[in-house]
Each structure stands twice: as C-alpha cells, then as structure tokens.
Amino acid sequence: MSKLRLTVIGGGSVGLVMAASLALAGIDLTLLARGPAVGQLRRDGIEVTGVLGTHTVAPGTIAIDDADRPDAASLDCDVLIVATKAYQLAGVLRPIAAKAGDTAAPRTILLLQNGWGSADEARAMMPGATAIFSSVMLIGSERRSARQVNINVQAGPVRIGSLFGSASDVIRALIAAAANGILPMVYDEKIEQAILSKFLFNNCLNASGALTGKTYGELLGNPHSRRLIINLADEAIRVLAAARDYQAAESGAHYVENILTPLVIPKAAAHRSSMLQDVEAGRRTEIDYLNGAVASMGHACGIATPVNEAILALIHARERNGW
C-alpha cells in the first residue's frame, strides 16, 4: 500500500498522545487544533510524559492546521482520526459529510471517543463508502498545557475494529506503520465486546469521580461510593445483556469485586477520571454517552435505571453551562 495520509482532529489529551505516537513512529500527519493551541503547537511541538516515558515531537514534525478553517488537503486523507469529545463528533463530521460528494474527503474514519453511540452517529452521517472504525484506548491521560500531556495509566494496547464490518486493509496498514510509536495498537475483530467492557468501566467510575472529586482507588475504598458503583454496575449489566447481548458479570457486586477492583487497584488507583477533569475545567462532559446511554438503552428495553438516571441528572446540574 502507498504511503498513508493521516489527519488527527482534536487537540486534547487523546489527540496529542495519538498524534505524537504516530509522528514518533515516523508517520507524516496533520493535527487539527483550535484557538491559541494552533500557534503554540507550531512553535513548540508536543511533549508526552508519564508512565510510557518522556517523548518530544519537535516543531515542524507534524503539520498543524486550524480545525475551524482546515485546508482542503488536511481532509483529503486516507484516515481521519477523530479525537474530539463524543458530543463534538456530529459538529466535526457534518461539514465533511456535506462536501463528500463534490470534494476530497477521508476514505476511512477512526473514532477515539468514550462511551456508546458515536459509531452509530458517524455511520448515519457519512456516505456508505466511508469506512468507520472504533477504538478502545486503555490509557488515562491529562493535558497540562496546549502542547504537553501526561499519561497517568496505560493498561493495554489501543484496540481498533469496525462495528459495521468495514474492510480493514487501511486500518491494518496504519497499525503496522504505528508499531514504533508510544502507543501499541492491535486489530480486534470483536471490538464491540472491548468497547462495552470499557463502557461499563467508565460508567461506574467517571461520573462517580466527577461528583465526589475522588480518585479511582478512593472511590472503591470508600464503602459509600463503592455501594453507588455496585448499583450503577448492576443496572448497566442488566441493560447491556438485554440491549447488546453482552453479559459482563453475574451482578454489580460480582463485577466490582472480581473484575473492577483487581483491574483498578494495581495500576489506576491514583487516577482522576476524565469527567472530573472536565467538570473542574468547566467543560461539557460525555455523560450522555455513558450513564445517559445506559438510561436510554434501559428505557428501550423496559429496564429501570434509577441510579444511572440520578447520576445523569446530577452531572448535568454540575456542568457549568447547563447543557
């Protein structure tokens, strides 16, 4: 396959890590960012620190473009990697989809969003010829400036696959080309199970952390927040079994005791959820794609989800601008 043309859109922690990893693997790419970050990234490059070591991407290594006014060549790519928040996806893809019939457009889209629902949104918006891929990123990261991100936790490779059976040649070529980057990547034929596994994990911890200000370890160690997490998990497990035929555990208590706690405590006890970081920064959260998705699926299946609905309402109430 000829040399891949890649574009990453999103200058948050995930976008910076992904762009840096691909660049350090020797891949030419464009990063689309917004506002003052555009100038700073062009001037200073990207720095990644944390559990995967310290890595610097020198200025000029990555082409930096303005996401609000992207050059047409930036979107004329083999793979558009969307590293925005889930609620921003429609705004990113809508203008691209509108021009797909009369101008160059991405042939493949790789989604890096948390939660459940982004892939269906992308599939509904983009032409049928556009391949849609999803991913599971088992990392915890925090952007400390417009050009610096710290990786706090890394629990496995980035898993990539398609929920729609899209041809995988281009994505497999991307994974092979990215082998020498910061982030290991693998192709996963059973990507739905991987997504739902992380979805359940985030559903239990992200909003709980955002409401209490506690780390993952503190949430599981406190009997009151642990009981909340068990109840969230219990509802989500029943909903996912009915809606997606995915049985994660016998019950919320079984999940928290035998799956969640052994996974969190050794590596991620000190991590603060991305939703907590969003709330503290006054940003909109992805709650609608996590606990909100459980509530929506539960309603469709006739399964009551009062705890997830309460968490959904509380997070919306805490979001600064009341989205």
Side-chain angles (χ1 to χ4, degrees), residues 4-53:
L4 290 172
R5 289 177 293 175
L6 305 181
T7 295
V8 177
I9 182 166
S13 62
V14 172
L16 291 180
V17 170
M18 179 59 70
S21 185
L22 295 172
L24 291 168
I27 300 173
D28 292 332
L29 71 142
T30 298
L31 173 62
L32 300 179
R34 285 191 166 92
V38 174
Q40 186 170 355
L41 289 165
R42 286 172 177 166
R43 183 179 66 251
D44 300 329
I46 299 174
E47 182 181 27
V48 178
T49 58
V51 298
L52 297 182

Side-chain angles (χ1 to χ4, degrees), residues 145-185:
S145 74
R147 49 90 56 182
Q148 196 263 323
V149 59
N150 192 75
I151 300 176
N152 304 317
V153 181
Q154 194 260 347
V158 179
R159 313 193 76 83
I160 301 173
S162 176
L163 295 171
F164 310 106
S166 298
S168 63
D169 292 357
V170 171
I171 286 295
R172 289 181 187 274
L174 168 59
I175 291 171
N180 293 322
I182 303 168
L183 299 175
M185 301 182 190

Side-chain angles (χ1 to χ4, degrees), residues 209-213 276 279-280 313-322:
L211 289 173
T212 63
L276 172 56
V279 166
E280 288 179 342
L314 288 169
I315 291 293
H316 277 312
R318 188 171 180 188
E319 288 174 321
R320 178 175 298 176
N321 294 318

